[in-house]
Amino acid sequence: MTDSTAGMTPEEARRADEAHTGPMLAADGTPLKKSLARALRRQKLRALGLIAPLLVFVLITFVVPIGDMLLRSIKNDIVADTLPATVETLADWDADASELPGDDVWMAFYVDMWFAAERKEHTRLGSRLNYEQTGVSSLFRKTGRRVDRFDTDVYTDQLVDLDPSWEDPASWAAMLDGPAADALPLTAETWERWKEFNVEEGDAVLEEDVPDFLFTTLYYELNNGAEVDGMSDRLDAAKAAVGEFETVSLQEQFADADEDWLDPEVWKTIQLYSPRVTSGYFANSVDMQLTPEGIEPRPDNQQIYGILFKRTLFMSLVITGSCIMLAYPVAWLLSNLPMRTANLLMILVLLPFWTSLLVRTSAWKVMLQQQGVINDVLVWLGLVADDARLTMINNQFGTIVAMTHILLPFMILPMYSVMSTIPPSYLRAAKSLGATNWTAFWRVYFPQSVPGIGAGSILVFILAIGYYITPEIVGGNTGTFISNRIAYHISSSLNWGLAAALGTILLVVVLVLYWAYDKIVGIDNVKLG
Amino acid sequence: MADVTNGDAFVEFERVQKSYDGENLVVKDLNLSLPKGEFLTMLGPSGSGKTTCLMMLAGFETATHGEIKLDGKPINNIPPHKRGIGMVFQNYALFPHMTVAENLSFPLEVRRMSKSDREAKVKRALDMVQMGDFGGRRPAQLSGGQQQRIALARALVFEPELVLMDEPLGALDKQLREHMQFEITSIAHNLGITTVYVTHDQTEALTMSDRVAVFDDGRIQQLAPPDELYESPQNSFVAQFIGENNTLEGTIKEIKGDHCVVQLADGSLIDAKPVNVTQPGEKTLVSIRPERVEMNKERLSPDAHTLKAEVVEFIYMGDIFRTRLRVAGKDDFVIKTRNAPDQRRLQKGEQIEIGWLAEDCRALDA
Ligand SMILES: Nc1ncnc2c1ncn2[C@@H]1O[C@H](COP(=O)(O)OP(=O)(O)OP(=O)(O)O)[C@@H](O)[C@H]1O
Ligand SMILES: [Mg+2]
């Protein structure tokens, strides 16, 4: 053998050496790591193929809608989309000065409002801003009806008197195609919006009368010293004449429509909610509000969500706790009975699932109300005076009782499935080693049943924290959950942004608790079946 | 050790009966007493009531009737945790959420032993089963044999005087089982503890025990040291249950002292030793071990009866030859011969004559 090694060239020897010390090789000569990775990749692809249908389904029906919903909690396009020019001019307005905005804002707002009213978008904007300041909704509705009857036709008449060609839309088109567009930016932009609007409506812009607001913007810009000198005769004439024009105050026009426009608070609200992304919904859902000075707590009498969140958490914990107390002995009993009996009793545990949730909840109403079964029995027994019947419904107590009952099976099932895998021999072993019944249970049985408690608690807690129907029916004023408020915002007040923010916070709270649970107990200790 | 008087009995079952359902007796009239330090094995087919007996002794089942005494005192009303009996379960029942050391210190903790005492005892118990380095592991991280040792150590760590083991080696492979058999017996004898051991496996029972109690049908069929059990079974169940055995049906023709003549169904006569037959005319099942059958007529007494047999099958097994014969119309009669230089290898179809010493052939109940 030494001979053959000696006969190698140094290069061959080095390679042979490398083959020994280098990476392990598979039978076909590829590195072992690589071929292992390839084999695993094929397995992973197959696994992916198997779950692909579910993945797509979940993506389309869950992740995407939920994601969209959550985005609504910060999205705020409506102000910037409906009042683009106003938002731009209002940016320079100093809200703290408690003065009304200047003429440029009124001008821009007039144009924006005209288009919004024509497109019937002003009411939606009104309801949106109404979440932040009550009364804005009717303000916009009223103004929308008035905005195309403003007295701005005086500008039209005066300009047409100067030169009748102002009546011809073609002349406007020609003018704003040239250098005048740079000199009259607002008019040019408004002309573009007017053209777009006509395209939307299916009208030809050259066959429509030039609207009053274009004359108004033209007047406004000429009056403010637009440099149109030498561009055309009629512009020169107009510029020379505007100083003498009879004028209308847009501010007064708006104030005529609704005098609330003279309230700087309205303008503050519009300014605060101009950005396309807002933290306003989140601020609202933690009892804060956006102000020009930053985020501030709401006045005490308007704080409701903090209380609701705390109550939801507290009651969910109480419900989870009472479910554990009630379910543990039952699960223990079930897992220690012979299979046949256990299955029979299991049907009883599952029986509530076969009746409608509404029926069960309503049954609790019958049981717990002041003229209900329990009160009647207590009065009959003389334990409670007839005029001092207990209030057990439409409050927290009612919600806790009804929800504990409804969620109990979700606690029993995982507990049972864990307990039935704990062989009785462990308890016997503990006793044979000298442990009393209690020690044997506490030191040996209980630790092994913790995964069941954990799984049941997570299930019940997460179900409880988002529960809606039962608190709605039996909760009254003091027993409702945050989810009832979310439902209210989704279906009644239509403040979806706020609902989304509340939902997001709820989701985050659950995730944080889940994380904490993982840190404390360990999620691998949870056995769901 | 077989001749124990009730006076120094450590564990005693007196006329114990047990029924789970109120209809069938699982244990019928059990009487058993064992002295301190004895290693007793309960052997029997599945469902014969072995575990039930053990559970009654440990206190997890109550006897329906009769009395169980430990060290002279009745224990029927003592709860399991006060009996101080060590127990090794079939599936080991090591607590999965505790480490090996915690498992071992559990019985000491519940006895409120001080921490230093506990640690010393746990260490000693682990060393005894040669598992000193495994104290920090969880049971799930141990092999079957290692878990078995830990279970044994846990049952012994609090120094009980009586240890019960219910098929502790059932889950191990053959080699490990044989090794553990040896370890268990030597530990039990070194510590001088009394052991009640339950098994299915007759080899295990024969090799480990001082005495074996053969269970069937809720009764002890025979209680004897291993050699006696094998060589002098008291009834046909024990004869068939322990070791390989040939049986022939017949009727007693005549009885003279400890010799009798049995007539088989085809009319041929054989010699036997009457065990539990008393008079001529009785039906009997005679039992003879395959290695006690003689083919060499010269080794038998001149007036001995012989049987004609035809070789059905010859199997070479290395140290022995195993030959299956057709005898008295049935072809399941087996003989075993040593692979000695002078031993002839029989051919299939060959006609031979077989016989035996009367004391090797036992006439038992039919
Ligand atoms: N908890 C019980 N309830 C009802 N019957 C039982 C119970 N435990 C055992 N039995 C019955 O008692 C009889 C004896 O059971 P036991 O467990 O003592 O048998 P064993 O000899 O240990 O059998 P194996 O060798 O299979 O372990 C069996 O017929 C069994 O079905
Ligand atoms: Mg058993």
Side-chain angles (χ1 to χ4, degrees):
Chain A
M1 287 320 275
T2 44
D3 273 348
S4 73
T5 324
M8 278 184 186
T9 65
E11 177 63 21
E12 278 169 348
R14 197 183 59 75
R15 240 184 262 146
D17 203 25
E18 205 170 65
H20 280 290
T21 56
M24 288 280 274
L25 297 187
D28 60 356
T30 51
L32 196 55
K33 272 221 173 101
K34 209 157 139 198
S35 57
L36 181 69
R38 198 188 307 139
L40 285 182
R41 189 162 57 238
R42 216 172 296 135
Q43 265 179 21
K44 279 184 199 153
L45 280 179
R46 191 171 336 125
L48 195 70
L50 287 173
I51 61 161
L54 178 64
L55 203 65
V56 171
F57 178 78
V58 166
L59 218 64
I60 293 176
T61 60
F62 186 75
V63 177
V64 172
I66 295 269
D68 177 66
M69 193 67 209
L70 294 185
L71 275 184
R72 279 172 196 269
S73 61
I74 50 166
K75 250 176 46 188
N76 187 44
D77 288 331
I78 188 165
V79 182
D81 281 349
T82 321
L83 307 175
T86 315
V87 164
E88 217 171 284
T89 49
L90 203 55
D92 300 329
W93 176 60
D94 179 11
D96 294 336
S98 71
E99 271 170 24
L100 284 174
D103 281 343
D104 55 339
V105 175
W106 292 105
M107 184 66 244
F109 187 53
Y110 170 46
V111 175
D112 284 341
M113 244 342 240
W114 191 92
F115 282 111
E118 285 297 314
R119 290 182 176 129
K120 308 243 177 327
E121 287 171 347
H122 63 299
T123 47
R124 274 180 47 213
L125 178 61
S127 349
R128 165 67 187 93
L129 291 176
N130 202 56
Y131 302 143
E132 316 303 339
Q133 188 179 359
T134 39
V136 177
S137 177
S138 71
L139 184 62
F140 271 85
R141 219 176 317 115
K142 266 195 228 164
T143 314
R145 284 199 296 267
R146 288 286 293 275
V147 76
D148 72 337
R149 287 188 277 123
F150 276 9
D151 296 336
T152 46
D153 50 348
V154 288
Y155 300 122
T156 315
D157 297 343
Q158 291 176 88
L159 278 165
V160 171
D161 283 349
L162 279 181
D163 187 335
S165 73
W166 284 118
E167 256 186 320
D168 175 16
S171 76
W172 282 77
M175 175 180 78
L176 293 171
D177 210 16
D182 292 331
L184 303 167
L186 178 62
T187 314
E189 200 193 307
T190 312
W191 175 256
E192 288 304 317
R193 285 171 75 184
W194 168 245
K195 277 204 298 195
E196 245 170 62
F197 175 72
N198 275 295
V199 172
E200 277 169 33
E201 298 284 301
D203 296 330
V205 72
L206 294 181
E207 286 163 19
E208 296 289 317
D209 287 340
V210 180
D212 291 340
F213 58 81
L214 272 170
F215 286 99
T216 315
T217 58
L218 181 59
Y219 160 76
Y220 174 78
E221 284 189 304
L222 290 176
N223 196 34
N224 277 310
E227 293 183 9
V228 291
D229 305 326
M231 283 182 184
S232 74
D233 291 344
R234 61 172 189 175
L235 268 178
D236 287 340
K239 180 153 191 210
V242 284
E244 309 298 319
F245 268 18
E246 180 195 340
T247 60
V248 237
S249 157
L250 283 172
Q251 179 176 328
E252 270 164 37
Q253 292 289 315
F254 275 106
D256 274 355
D258 193 316
E259 62 182 14
D260 277 355
W261 287 118
L262 299 183
D263 177 5
E265 291 301 320
V266 174
W267 292 101
K268 275 188 203 172
T269 308
I270 296 179
Q271 194 189 38
L272 271 176
Y273 287 90
S274 323
R276 290 183 176 272
V277 171
T278 179
S279 55
Y281 291 124
F282 276 104
N284 275 346
S285 45
V286 292
D287 289 332
M288 309 283 241
Q289 58 188 356
L290 284 187
T291 66
E293 291 80 42
I295 296 180
E296 285 177 3
R298 276 181 185 277
D300 281 349
N301 60 356
Q302 288 181 19
Q303 301 200 350
I304 50 167
Y305 298 112
I307 299 173
L308 271 177
F309 270 116
K310 272 185 236 151
R311 185 196 291 163
T312 305
L313 280 181
F314 168 74
M315 287 177 58
S316 301
L317 283 176
V318 172
I319 290 163
T320 310
S322 37
C323 277
I324 294 177
M325 306 300 266
L326 292 177
Y328 201 92
V330 176
W332 158 279
L333 183 71
L334 284 177
S335 63
N336 280 304
L337 283 175
M339 209 56 184
R340 248 184 70 90
T341 339
N343 282 342
L344 210 70
L345 288 178
M346 201 46 137
I347 291 176
L348 291 183
V349 169
L350 295 177
L351 205 60
F353 281 144
W354 300 353
T355 32
S356 141
L357 180 65
L358 273 173
V359 172
R360 275 181 287 157
T361 309
S362 310
W364 277 112
K365 228 172 162 128
V366 173
M367 290 287 287
L368 296 176
Q369 64 193 350
Q370 291 214 303
Q371 302 301 322
V373 180
I374 292 180
N375 264 313
D376 282 348
V377 171
L378 288 178
V379 168
W380 181 73
L381 288 174
L383 292 175
V384 167
D386 199 12
D387 51 358
R389 285 169 176 256
L390 304 176
T391 333
M392 293 184 290
I393 199 103
N394 295 334
N395 56 13
Q396 294 198 0
F397 181 79
T399 308
I400 290 173
V401 169
M403 280 184 58
T404 301
H405 169 238
I406 284 160
L407 295 177
L408 201 54
F410 294 101
M411 187 65 88
I412 295 180
L413 288 176
M415 275 187 180
Y416 170 68
S417 88
V418 168
M419 287 183 183
S420 54
T421 61
I422 305 176
S425 60
Y426 286 131
L427 270 184
R428 293 186 162 182
K431 286 184 204 167
S432 82
L433 293 171
T436 58
N437 284 343
W438 169 252
T439 315
F441 167 77
W442 183 245
R443 293 276 318 270
V444 172
Y445 193 88
F446 182 77
Q448 295 186 63
S449 66
V450 164
I453 302 179
S457 301
I458 286 191
L459 263 182
V460 168
F461 185 79
I462 289 178
L463 281 173
I465 212 172
Y467 228 68
Y468 157 65
I469 295 181
T470 306
E472 185 75 24
I473 298 177
V474 301
N477 278 332
T478 56
T480 47
F481 279 18
I482 193 71
S483 43
N484 298 100
R485 201 68 199 165
I486 296 178
Y488 164 78
H489 282 308
I490 296 247
S491 56
S492 301
S493 81
L494 300 184
N495 190 353
W496 284 21
L498 183 54
L502 290 171
T504 309
I505 291 179
L506 196 59
L507 183 63
V508 170
V509 168
V510 169
L511 289 180
V512 166
L513 286 173
Y514 191 76
W515 174 83
Y517 184 91
D518 184 31
K519 282 277 150 215
I520 299 165
V521 184
I523 221 64
D524 47 344
N525 255 330
V526 166
K527 217 168 134 191
L528 284 170
Chain B
M1 286 207 197
D3 49 358
V4 200
T5 57
N6 278 357
D8 60 343
F10 184 58
V11 177
E12 237 183 318
F13 284 81
E14 267 175 25
R15 321 209 56 194
V16 170
Q17 294 186 334
K18 172 71 187 174
S19 169
Y20 284 105
D21 51 8
E23 287 172 19
N24 305 304
L25 279 177
V26 171
V27 174
K28 303 169 185 159
D29 192 31
L30 179 76
N31 291 291
L32 177 68
S33 70
L34 60 157
K36 230 182 175 96
E38 187 179 51
F39 195 117
L40 178 107
T41 298
M42 293 179 174
L43 175 68
S46 190
S48 56
K50 309 180 293 288
T51 300
T52 306
C53 284
L54 222 53
M55 289 300 158
M56 286 192 290
L57 187 52
F60 298 120
E61 297 289 351
T62 46
T64 326
H65 177 82
E67 204 158 76
I68 304 173
K69 285 185 186 163
L70 188 62
D71 213 4
K73 291 181 288 282
I75 55 170
N76 286 16
N77 293 321
I78 300 178
H81 66 271
K82 294 210 177 119
R83 295 195 182 186
I85 297 176
M87 189 145 184
V88 179
F89 290 81
Q90 180 164 14
N91 57 6
Y92 313 140
L94 295 175
F95 307 140
H97 58 293
M98 300 184 187
T99 63
V100 165
E102 283 165 349
N103 262 285
L104 260 68
S105 94
F106 181 82
L108 309 177
E109 267 171 61
V110 300
R111 286 177 171 73
R112 310 202 181 287
M113 212 168 265
S114 79
K115 191 155 189 277
S116 52
D117 284 0
R118 287 203 314 255
E119 275 165 7
K121 287 202 179 207
V122 167
K123 186 174 176 323
R124 190 148 18 104
L126 282 178
D127 287 343
M128 179 180 71
V129 292
Q130 292 141 39
M131 294 282 293
D133 299 335
F134 293 80
R137 293 222 199 160
R138 291 282 164 114
Q141 296 165 324
L142 300 177
S143 74
Q146 290 168 337
Q147 290 182 29
Q148 215 291 319
R149 286 162 201 247
I150 299 302
L152 182 65
R154 189 179 65 175
L156 298 175
V157 71
F158 61 98
E159 293 164 8
E161 291 185 274
L162 174 63
V163 174
L164 313 181
M165 306 193 195
D166 192 357
E167 302 190 34
L169 306 181
L172 304 186
D173 65 49
K174 187 167 175 290
Q175 213 169 351
L176 195 54
R177 202 158 62 211
E178 279 166 10
H179 180 74
M180 285 306 296
Q181 286 168 8
F182 170 74
E183 275 195 39
I184 289 176
T185 37
S186 64
I187 289 176
H189 281 141
N190 288 344
L191 299 180
I193 43 179
T194 316
T195 311
V196 179
Y197 189 98
V198 166
T199 181
H200 263 127
D201 182 338
Q202 43 155 311
T203 327
E204 202 166 290
L206 295 181
T207 53
M208 294 176 79
S209 329
D210 295 328
R211 280 194 304 164
V212 178
V214 180
F215 270 66
D216 187 39
D217 193 24
R219 277 179 218 281
I220 295 184
Q221 301 290 337
Q222 188 170 357
L223 174 61
D227 54 344
E228 195 183 319
L229 208 59
Y230 186 82
E231 277 160 32
S232 348
Q234 285 303 316
N235 57 38
S236 54
F237 173 80
V238 177
Q240 282 175 61
F241 193 72
I242 308 282
E244 206 171 2
N245 185 56
N246 292 308
T247 52
L248 296 167
E249 276 175 60
T251 335
I252 305 289
K253 194 119 195 284
E254 54 176 271
I255 297 194
K256 251 191 260 140
D258 59 357
H259 180 264
C260 66
V261 176
V262 177
Q263 183 168 38
L264 302 182
D266 67 348
S268 45
L269 298 176
I270 55 173
D271 301 309
K273 173 182 171 173
V275 179
N276 42 16
V277 288
T278 45
Q279 1 183 328
E282 250 182 276
K283 289 253 176 232
T284 183
L285 213 55
V286 297
S287 142
I288 173 133
R289 300 284 178 199
E291 65 273 17
R292 298 294 170 93
V293 178
E294 196 53 73
M295 291 188 293
N296 194 343
K297 256 186 127 175
E298 286 137 37
R299 301 228 188 104
L300 300 172
S301 66
D303 57 346
H305 291 98
T306 57
L307 282 177
K308 286 203 170 8
E310 182 191 339
V311 177
V312 182
E313 193 180 21
F314 176 84
I315 302 169
Y316 176 81
M317 295 177 71
D319 53 345
I320 55 164
F321 303 145
R322 191 184 139 95
T323 316
R324 195 151 61 82
L325 306 173
R326 177 174 296 126
V327 174
K330 285 164 49 182
D331 55 6
D332 58 357
F333 196 97
V334 171
I335 59 173
K336 284 183 190 163
T337 41
R338 219 157 52 79
N339 184 359
D342 60 338
Q343 186 62 51
R344 208 163 60 78
R345 301 185 185 188
L346 295 169
Q347 298 299 315
K348 187 175 167 181
E350 207 174 320
Q351 298 287 337
I352 56 170
E353 236 174 297
I354 55 170
W356 43 76
L357 298 176
E359 61 263 34
D360 287 337
C361 177
R362 299 169 68 82
L364 304 167
D365 52 311

